[in-house]
Amino acid sequence: MTDNKSQTPKQLTIISGKGGTGKTTFTAAFAQLTKDKVMADCDVDAADLHLVLTPKIQKTEAFFGGRSPVVDLAHCTKCGVCTELCRYDAIHDGVVDAFACDNCGLCAHACPEKIITMEDVQSGDWFVSDTRFGPMVHAKLGIAEENSGKLVTMVRKEAMALAKEKALPWVIVDGPPGIGCPVTAALAGVSKVLIVTEPSLSGIHDMERVLALTEHFQIPAQVCINKYDIHLENTKQIETYCQQKGIEVVGKVPFHRGVIDAMVQGKTVIEREVPEVTPEIKRLWERVMGSGLHS
Amino acid sequence: MQKEPVIITVASGKGGTGKTLIATSLTLSLPEGVQYLDCDVEAPNAHLFLNPAWKEEIPAGIVVPRVDEQVCTACGECNRVCEFKAIVVIADKVLVFDELCHGCGACSYICPVDAITEIQKPIGIIRKGKARNGTTLIQGLLNIGEPMATPVIRNLKKEAAAGIPITIRDAPPGTSCPVIETISDSDYTILVTEPTPFGLNDLKLAVGVARQLNVPVGVVINRADAGDDSLYTYCRDENLDILMEIPLKRKIAEGYASGKGLIDILPEYRDKFIDMFEKIMGGIRP
C-alpha cells in the first residue's frame, strides 16, 4: 500500500432514500471488511450503527446546533410585537413554543423592551469511540432537536480529521434516509455513494429520487439491490433503469431471515455467517471498494 | 362512526418498518372519504398503494429576500441578524444564499432603508387527488436538491381541509424537525416498529418525541415474530398499548413490493384495522 499520510481520505456514503432497506446492515458489514478506515454514523436522529458496532466511547463533546430565544418574562409587557411578527406562531405573551420556533431571532431583534436574548443551546452530543473494527465517530441528537444537518457535517468533519491523523485511507458514512438536509450534508463532497434499494415500488420510487440527488451534486453512485428475490420483476426494472442511467448495479443480495437474527445478536453478517447472503455481500464490498486498495 | 374530526399520525423512528403499509391499509379499511396527508415529502410512497388520479398541483415555497442594490447601503444589519448565515455582506455587496434561508423575515424587518423585498421561491409541490376508497390524497414532494422538508410539510398541512371526519398523516422517519411538524397537533400517533434492536432503539426515540408533544401513542409491531422479546418488555414497562401485531411473512413482503395493501394481501386484516381504529377512538374520545 502506498503512503497515505499526505493524502485526503476517501469517503463512501451509504444511503437509500427509503428507510429500512438495509443501509446499516451493509454499513456494519463494510466496517468489518474494510481494514483501514474510520466509521461515521450520520443517521444522527435515529442512529443504529452503534447497536452492532458497540462502540466504547473515548471522547464526548457537546453539540451546539444554534441559538434559541430566551425571554425575561418578569419584564415582558405583553405588547404583542413579537407575536405579530413571528412567522411560526411560536411566541405568545412572551412564552416560546420551542417545537414551533425556528430559532430565527426576529423576536429578539424586534422586542421594544429588549428582554429577549438569543442563547446557545446544546442540541446533542458527538462521540469518538473505539469499536472491534476500529475507530468510529457518531452522535446523538437530543429528542425533538433541530439542526441534524449541522450535526451530520460535524460528524463527517471529525471522522475525516481522525482518518487523516491516523493515515487511514477511508471514511465510511452510514447515511440517513430521505433526500433532505441531513442527506445533503452526508453527501456533499464525498468520493462515492452506494445506494441500497429493495425491489418494492416504494424502494424504486425513492431510489430514483436519491439518484436524482447524487446526479444533482455530481457524485458517482452505485446501486445494490437488497432482498432482490422478493420481486424479480421489480428487480429487473431497477436493473434496466440503472443501465439506462449508466449506473452500475454492484450487487444483488437475497432475502434471508438470518440477516435479522444477526442484527438481534448484535453481530455483522460477516461475523454471523448467513451462507445465502454473506458471500454476496463480500463480493459487493469488493466491487464497491475497488481493486488494489485493500489487498 | 365518530363525530368530531380526528387526526391520526402514523410514524416510526426507524424507516422501513411499515408506516405507509399501516397508514394506507387503515385508510382502505375505514369508511370512504378519509383525508390522507403524505407528509414524508422527501420520499412519499402512499400514492403507490392508493392509486390516485391527481387533480391539482400547487407549488410549495418559502419566501426569500431580494435586495435592491440602488437602495442598499451595505450597512450589514441583515448580515448581523440572520441566524442562518443566508445573507452576507462582503465588500459593499449583499449576497443571498437561498438554500440556507428559512424565510423568517428578520433581514427585511431590520433593514433600515427598506432595501429588502421578499419573493416566493418554490422548494416543492403539493399534489391533490382522488384515490381508492374515495380517499382524498394530498402529497408533498420536496424538490431534488432542496434541503428543507419542514416548510413543504407546513404548506401541505395548510392545504388539508378542516372538518373532514378522519385525517391520516403519514410521517417521515426519524425524530427531527419534519417529524415534529407532522406529529404536532395530531390527536393520536401510531408508532410502527419491529422487534429488533434497531426497531426498539428508534421506537424509544419516537415515543420521546410524541410524549414531549403531548400526543398519545400506541404501537403496531410489524414482523412480530422476527426478533426477540425486548420490545415487548419495553412496551409493558412503559405502558404502551400494542395495537396490532403483523407476522413476518414472505407473502406480505411480496405483495407490498408490488404496491398491495395489507387488506389486499390478507383480507381478514380489514376487521383488525377497524378494531384498532375503534380502540384508538375509545382512548382519545371516551
Side-chain angles (χ1 to χ4, degrees):
Chain A
M1 198 180 281
T2 52
D3 179 28
N4 285 298
K5 272 193 179 108
S6 55
Q7 290 175 11
T8 304
K10 289 184 177 153
Q11 294 177 80
L12 167 72
T13 295
I14 302 178
I15 51 167
S16 66
K18 175 170 158 45
T21 58
K23 265 188 313 294
T24 302
T25 299
F26 284 42
T27 309
F30 275 43
Q32 183 171 4
L33 292 168
T34 315
K35 229 175 76 203
D36 301 315
K37 87 283 149 187
V38 173
M39 298 305 297
D41 190 351
C42 285
D43 188 359
V44 296
D45 67 310
D48 286 330
L49 190 60
H50 66 280
L51 298 169
V52 182
L53 300 189
T54 50
K56 286 181 197 63
I57 294 172
Q58 304 297 320
K59 184 172 101 173
T60 302
E61 296 276 345
F63 168 67
F64 294 91
R67 306 193 299 168
S68 289
V70 176
V71 184
D72 174 10
L73 262 179
H75 293 99
C76 176
T77 63
K78 301 193 176 22
C79 67
V81 168
C82 55
T83 307
E84 197 179 314
L85 285 170
C86 176
R87 294 185 176 177
Y88 309 98
D89 194 25
I91 186 163
H92 297 273
D93 292 338
V95 180
V96 178
D97 175 350
F99 295 117
C101 178
D102 204 46
N103 298 317
C104 71
L106 178 52
C107 55
H109 298 296
C111 176
E113 307 297 325
K114 303 263 172 270
I115 56 148
I116 306 178
T117 49
M118 293 298 284
E119 290 178 15
D120 281 332
V121 267
Q122 185 181 350
S123 46
D125 290 297
W126 60 270
F127 317 97
V128 177
S129 297
D130 281 337
T131 76
R132 62 192 182 283
F133 306 127
M136 168 172 172
V137 182
H138 50 126
K140 195 170 165 58
L141 192 68
I143 281 177
E145 284 295 347
E146 294 183 43
N147 272 317
S148 52
K150 223 169 165 179
L151 184 52
V152 166
T153 304
M154 173 82 94
V155 167
R156 262 186 62 197
K157 208 182 88 198
E158 293 300 328
M160 281 297 278
L162 192 61
K164 254 190 175 158
E165 182 197 312
K166 294 181 182 279
L168 300 170
W170 281 98
V171 169
I172 299 179
V173 178
D174 191 7
I179 61 153
C181 155
V183 181
T184 310
L187 282 186
V190 303
S191 325
K192 64 155 94 181
V193 164
L194 174 65
I195 298 168
V196 181
T197 188
E198 60 175 36
S200 64
L201 295 185
S202 308
I204 295 173
H205 176 264
D206 300 347
M207 174 200 72
E208 290 179 9
R209 279 173 68 72
V210 104
L211 272 173
L213 187 71
T214 54
E215 205 175 312
H216 179 89
F217 286 110
Q218 299 181 333
I219 299 164
Q222 293 171 314
V223 165
C224 141
I225 310 170
N226 194 15
K227 310 172 211 168
Y228 83 91
D229 52 340
I230 284 286
H231 202 296
L232 293 172
E233 243 171 81
N234 286 348
T235 291
K236 188 83 212 139
Q237 194 190 323
I238 295 171
E239 290 176 304
T240 311
Y241 180 88
C242 288
Q243 201 177 12
Q244 282 165 358
K245 286 247 158 201
I247 304 285
E248 190 188 356
V249 175
V250 279
K252 291 197 289 185
V253 179
F255 173 79
H256 199 278
R257 221 185 152 105
V259 175
I260 302 175
D261 296 338
M263 187 214 287
V264 169
Q265 292 169 13
K267 295 203 161 96
T268 71
V269 288
I270 310 300
E271 287 168 303
R272 191 194 185 282
E273 176 116 10
V274 184
E276 296 81 353
V277 169
T278 307
E280 185 52 37
I281 291 187
K282 284 184 179 163
R283 269 196 295 278
L284 162 74
W285 171 79
E286 278 166 16
R287 282 192 197 156
V288 172
M289 304 307 273
S291 52
L293 268 168
H294 299 264
S295 45
Chain B
M1 198 183 259
Q2 44 54 254
K3 294 144 206 127
E4 274 181 68
V6 66
I7 300 172
I8 297 174
T9 294
V10 183
S12 73
K14 173 167 160 47
T17 55
K19 269 186 309 295
T20 301
L21 183 71
I22 297 301
T24 54
S25 300
L26 171 62
T27 300
L28 295 174
S29 302
L30 291 168
E32 285 193 7
V34 168
Q35 174 169 255
Y36 191 109
L37 310 186
D38 195 345
C39 298
D40 189 359
V41 302
E42 296 177 48
N45 292 143
H47 61 290
L48 301 168
F49 298 86
L50 295 175
N51 312 111
W54 296 118
K55 297 217 155 102
E56 205 184 333
E57 202 168 289
I58 309 145
I62 58 167
V63 293
V64 292
R66 286 295 174 264
V67 182
D68 183 344
E69 287 182 15
Q70 306 297 317
V71 182
C72 174
T73 63
C75 69
E77 275 296 281
C78 52
N79 188 153
R80 182 179 68 84
V81 299
C82 180
E83 289 286 324
F84 312 110
K85 301 185 173 68
I87 187 162
V88 179
V89 181
I90 301 168
D92 290 356
K93 264 283 220 217
V94 184
L95 301 173
V96 178
F97 299 99
D98 285 350
E99 64 282 6
L100 297 178
C101 177
H102 285 218
C104 69
C107 55
S108 57
Y109 172 81
I110 210 79
C111 178
V113 293
D114 286 333
I116 299 178
T117 49
E118 292 182 328
I119 59 159
Q120 276 285 336
K121 181 205 164 201
I123 59 167
I125 54 170
I126 310 293
R127 282 184 186 145
K128 286 185 184 178
K130 266 281 178 268
R132 281 180 69 186
N133 202 34
T135 306
T136 301
L137 174 61
I138 312 180
Q139 176 200 66
L141 197 64
L142 180 69
N143 288 348
I144 302 294
E146 285 295 339
M148 278 187 288
T150 312
V152 179
I153 301 172
R154 276 193 206 115
N155 274 272
L156 168 63
K157 283 166 73 176
K158 275 188 202 135
E159 289 299 329
I164 303 281
I166 304 169
T167 297
I168 306 285
R169 287 186 193 159
D170 187 350
T175 59
S176 60
C177 343
V179 180
I180 291 158
E181 184 64 39
T182 307
I183 294 182
S184 62
D185 67 47
S186 308
D187 296 297
Y188 192 88
T189 291
I190 298 171
L191 295 173
V192 186
T193 188
E194 57 183 38
T196 61
F198 293 6
L200 174 58
N201 181 63
D202 299 352
L203 174 69
K204 288 178 183 169
L205 301 171
V207 167
V209 170
R211 284 189 174 154
Q212 288 212 21
L213 292 166
N214 274 317
V215 176
V217 293
V219 178
V220 169
I221 303 178
N222 197 4
R223 302 170 198 129
D225 48 345
D228 61 5
D229 292 339
S230 39
L231 171 63
Y232 290 88
T233 312
Y234 169 76
C235 289
R236 200 171 47 238
D237 291 348
E238 291 289 322
N239 262 322
L240 291 167
D241 278 337
I242 295 174
L243 301 165
M244 188 185 286
E245 290 171 76
I246 300 158
L248 173 68
K249 277 199 176 138
R250 204 181 167 101
K251 194 177 164 189
I252 298 177
E254 287 169 355
Y256 167 83
S258 52
K260 285 192 184 129
L262 202 47
I263 61 167
D264 301 321
I265 308 161
L266 301 166
E268 65 269 27
Y269 269 83
R270 182 184 296 270
D271 288 342
K272 295 189 185 191
F273 277 103
I274 292 172
D275 288 349
M276 177 174 87
F277 180 76
E278 298 288 356
K279 189 175 174 195
I280 290 170
M281 292 309 295
I284 55 179
R285 304 272 164 75

